[in-house]
Amino acid sequence: MAPATGDRIRLGAPELDGWCDRVWGSEDGTITAKGKVGGLLKREAGGGAGEVPVRFAADSAQTPPGASSVVLTGDARIWQGDRLVRADRLEYEPATDVARGEGQVLTRAPLADKEEKGELTVRSRALTYRRAAGEAVYEGEVEVKDPQGLARCGRLVVRFDAEGRATSAELEGGVTLLEGASGRQLTGQRGRLNVAEDLFEMWGNPVLIREPDGNQIKGDRLEWRRRTGTVVVVGGEDSPSETLYHPSGQGARPTPSRRQS
């Protein structure tokens, strides 16, 4: 079905209220809408943010028989206030409040930081967001960025508070982090960010810090106190921390502190 020239088709369903340029149904009950599809989801898909509406937009939208889900494709976006989920394909299940994204996933969410405002931006190949659990799982070439640095890993789990703000992040599958202020690079097997304490921890065999001037420090674990810029490297009984210095003529540079456990 196509509207009269200059008009738009209104979409009404239990899970959404929207508009499009064209809509049709198949024999099995599937409804497909195309052409600047957009509107409102009738249930909150992005976290508890009071009466802030949840909006969506895509090139096309499809609901299967029984309207158990909404599938958005073609630059698909769901946003609520300052939170955004974007992907090539997004599927939302109203009954379970679960959203899944595939292909060029991009999300933005505010940080639950009382000291300063900021947001967590994540890119990946796949996303599963469970609103009831306050948890988002990203997989495949994950890149996560906040005001303090940029990290890459194979898998990321972000947890949110009732307002939809990021409270923590767990990084797995090989982690590389570039500290924004100093250019220092941290590498390890897994990491964890505690937003409230602004503390990033990393574990590995070994954890390795590379300074821009070539100096290196190895250990089993590190703690990056991000507000002060302090990095503590911890070595185990069988693997004490190790420091490699490359003298330069540029004067002394501040270096991470080191201790053995």
Side-chain angles (χ1 to χ4, degrees):
M1 179 175 67
T5 303
D7 291 337
R8 299 267 284 162
I9 296 174
R10 174 98 180 254
L11 301 172
E15 68 281 353
L16 62 84
D17 188 7
W19 299 265
C20 67
D21 291 335
R22 293 176 293 143
V23 65
W24 64 89
S26 61
E27 293 183 357
D28 67 358
T30 299
I31 304 297
T32 302
K34 287 199 172 185
K36 298 179 181 178
V37 180
L40 303 175
L41 291 173
K42 294 183 180 179
R43 295 187 63 188
E44 294 184 357
E51 299 301 319
V52 178
V54 181
R55 302 182 182 276
F56 71 92
D59 293 338
S60 67
Q62 190 174 76
T63 58
S68 59
S69 66
V70 180
V71 178
L72 307 174
T73 55
D75 194 20
R77 292 99 71 199
I78 298 176
W79 69 96
Q80 182 183 34
D82 50 6
R83 286 173 298 281
L84 168 72
V85 179
R86 191 170 194 162
D88 293 339
R89 182 183 186 275
L90 284 172
E91 180 177 2
Y92 172 57
E93 299 174 355
T96 59
D97 240 351
V98 173
R100 296 181 176 86
E102 298 177 3
Q104 299 187 70
V105 173
L106 167 66
T107 70
R108 293 193 180 99
L111 292 165
D113 190 337
K114 297 180 180 179
E115 298 292 328
E116 59 180 292
K117 292 184 178 179
E119 68 176 13
L120 194 73
T121 301
V122 183
R123 298 178 185 272
S124 69
R125 297 180 65 85
L127 162 70
T128 300
Y129 174 63
R130 298 177 176 86
R131 177 179 174 270
E135 177 184 274
V137 179
Y138 303 83
E139 296 180 287
E141 300 178 11
V142 181
E143 180 180 283
V144 54
K145 181 179 181 181
D146 78 347
Q148 300 283 16
L150 171 69
R152 294 181 174 88
C153 61
R155 185 175 186 269
L156 171 72
V157 179
V158 179
R159 291 183 172 82
F160 304 89
D161 63 15
E163 299 300 319
R165 300 173 301 180
T167 60
S168 69
E170 296 182 10
L171 300 82
E172 304 172 356
V175 181
T176 300
L177 188 151
L178 183 65
E179 185 181 345
S182 69
R184 181 185 293 154
Q185 181 176 283
L186 318 175
T187 59
Q189 274 69 59
R190 61 186 180 93
R192 180 173 63 203
L193 170 64
N194 183 318
V195 174
E197 297 183 12
D198 208 16
L199 169 65
F200 185 86
E201 299 174 275
M202 183 179 286
W203 295 264
N205 186 23
V207 167
L208 178 63
I209 300 177
R210 292 186 178 92
E211 298 280 359
D213 60 7
N215 291 338
Q216 296 184 9
I217 300 175
K218 294 181 180 181
D220 283 349
R221 180 171 66 88
L222 68 80
E223 299 173 359
W224 174 23
R225 302 282 175 177
R226 306 197 315 165
R227 289 194 181 99
T228 63
T230 302
V231 177
V232 177
V233 180
V234 181
E237 293 182 0
D238 298 327
S239 55
S241 62
E242 174 185 328
T243 305
L244 175 62
Y245 290 102
H246 295 285
S248 67
Q250 299 178 353
R253 289 177 51 90
T255 56
S257 59
R258 302 171 297 281
R259 72 168 185 254
Q260 288 185 221
S261 59

